[in-house]
Amino acid sequence: MHSRYDVSIRSALLTVLAFALAAGPAQAAWLPDAYVGGFGLSTTTATHANPTAIADGAGGVIVVWQDQRNGVDYDIYAQRINARGDALWTANGVAVCSATNAQILPVVTSDGAGGAIIAWQDFRNGSHYDVFAQRVNANGTTAWTASGINVCNAAGIQEALAIISDDAGGAILTWQDLRSGGTNDIYALRVGPTGTSLWTANGRAVSVAGGSQLAPRLASDGANGAIISWHDLRGANYDIYAQRVPASGIPQWTADGVSVCNAAGNQTSSMIVSDYVGGAVITWDDARSGTSDIYAQRVGPNGTTLWVANGSAVCTATNAQVTPSIATDGSGGAIIAWTDWRAVATNSQDIYAQRVNAAGFTAWTSNGVPLHTTTTGAQIAPVCVSSDGLGGAIISWADSRSMLNYDAYAQRVGPNGTRYWNDEALVTGAVLDQYVIALVSDGAQGAYAVSIDNRNGVFKTYAQKLNASSSLGDCTPRIVSVRDVPNDQGSFVNLRFDRSRLDLQIDDNFQVDYTIWRQVPNAAALAALKGGARLLAAGERAERGGADRGLLRKTVEMNGVTYYWEQWDWVDGRGIPSYGAVLETTSDSLPSSNPRTLYMVEAQSYEDGDYWYYQSAPDSGYSVDNLPPGAPGSFAAQYAAGTTQLHWAPVVAPDFAGYRLYRGGTLTFTPGPGNLVQAVSDTGYTDAAGGPYVYKLTAVDLHGNESPIATVAPTGIVDAPPAGPAVFFLGAPVPNPARANLGVTLRFGLARPGEARVRVFDAQGRLVRTLESGPHAAGEHVARWDGRNDHHVPLAAGLYFVRLEAESRVATTRVTLLW
């Protein structure tokens, strides 16, 4: 891991950074060195506080923070960073709000279009905090009233904000509210894409029960509404309550909320995540035993608790367990991490984690698995995010093992509780203190870690890219396209990929080369292994420069399924921006389907005898037989007494499949399904349909390519069928809702030929599947989705968005996935 970087390696990386900066646009924010790397969100000397972040839906991240650059009072700023580490908005961040007095504690959610909706506590009235919000679109422009719209300015303080997307371009906000003057209550409001309030002005009352209701959290209900949980003091101790507020804003469950847990002692520090089937999973620390433990409960769409009364025990180890963090496991359950005092005898706090499945049972070692291997110092304040949709998570925490200050570490945990990384990843180990405040999935089994960082003696906001392999920074090559080789008989695709950022050809002691891996069907891989092919041992890497096509294989475990990859090609790094390779596919496209072959590019960085490996996200393509057979020759017909005898010469082609015979009344008729007489394999046919008629004949190959038309017609007439107009459109999914085992069909059209992409995004705006990408002809096309992600792993039931991008235009439709 990165803690093993020594001075010479860091020096070499800094040399690479200097070279990259001199060579062109800055792409070095993700410098893979935990001691000096990371993206500083602002170069001003002002203090930052309370950063937060979301995915931008395109593989990057949007970061929001409070910033003191304009004086004593804090303002709100934001920045968007792409996967390469480039700042996409105004240098040092977009001013979201710089109104008078203080704006603090921002929260953020996606607007579903590459931008963000941001809310904060605002003291501009000079007497108490109110709630304001602003939308920043994908290019960094604020879209609503300058300095933000007023969400709530009721009497008393409004604070402890939380926010989620409403999956319709707007957002749902909740907060604790002191408008009653005596105790805090819970309110919520839905804001539309234009900033219009969609519910009661100043918010809809979620709970106004006796005593205080505090610290609301919320998760999507999958139907443009939210499930809200909070700490509730209507009894003798703090309990956990929840309420569902649908798209209409009218609470659906018991007035003032349903009891999630009212066990003895206090229940606090709750966190919530959607179960993606209309309900939610809630976790909290729980003092029912006299010391703090971790419990969780799942609440269904109708407000019924689905697990053991008062919650399933996640950890009841000795001493205290506090401050849980939660991420969905993608299957109706959750992964929960917490700070653990069970080793109090060594005065050490540790980080543990546990998975609770959809039925409420713990799936890993009793009382959780430890996420670190050191026993020195304290590990506190875990932050948890789903890593890849495969049932695992990445968890980060603040760590004082150096005994000097807090650094940020992270670990990736698989769905079975296995730690993917032998050592924890050191996310940032710069001087003084760093605390990760937010983790955001990068959509490629890694995450963006957003931290508050004191390396320069003043707290600033930093971000770092943490790869699936635990490496830092964007050192991975990136597959740009996998496209069919045109005008061939199929079997080949052209793979293009951008270089690793380290591929700069500095000298012989610092080199980057690339291995291209091809996924092969399990049956073929097992047969090859039986035939003597060598399987790489666990942790073993392919020999540099030794691509042994068809013989060298490795396995990748994902969600319990074994994927076999064969080392298929090798590309020498030459310091150029991008590379290409023509590769064979495992099968060709057929009229009924486009079987895709999956590829992955692995960069091998060689430095003074050591190798570093960076794997691209896999991408797939299919090969197409683009060459039709020749037209049938010697096509002749003889008509007598209502019967026509047709004959033609045989077509010779290696992939020949048969003939299609069409019948029409004029020479200008267009062959199609409505006038198809017969698909035949012989070189003759007798048609007793009367007549006489005009006949058109084509030859078809195995991949559906249809030859030019041969016509039997009176002499002197030319066959020239007119072409119909083509339009840009994205049709409604069929069926919708869709059953994943049956798939969904999506029709789309282009007004002119060109590049087109059809991609699927989840309700959080994260890219989960690319269905089409590449050049397309004008006219209508069909894409099919089987409910799986780009790794061919089934996705959770829920709401998804399909987006067509072509001709500098975008069309979007929604599909509900069921199981």
Side-chain angles (χ1 to χ4, degrees), residues 9-63:
I9 294 175
R10 289 201 299 275
S11 176
L13 289 170
L14 288 171
T15 302
V16 172
L17 171 59
F19 189 95
L21 289 172
Q27 294 182 344
W30 307 135
L31 181 66
D33 185 342
Y35 298 101
V36 298
F39 188 110
L41 274 294
S42 170
T43 59
T44 70
T45 59
T47 298
H48 295 178
N50 298 311
T52 187
I54 56 160
D56 68 355
V61 63
I62 296 172
V63 183

Side-chain angles (χ1 to χ4, degrees), residues 258-300:
V258 299
S259 173
V260 175
C261 178
N262 61 0
N266 286 321
Q267 288 82 44
T268 57
S269 301
S270 67
M271 301 293 285
I272 187 172
V273 69
S274 174
D275 67 0
Y276 295 100
V277 288
V281 179
I282 305 167
T283 187
W284 62 89
D285 54 42
D286 191 304
R288 70 182 71 179
S289 68
T291 186
S292 183
D293 298 315
I294 306 298
Y295 279 76
Q297 179 63 270
R298 184 178 178 190
V299 183

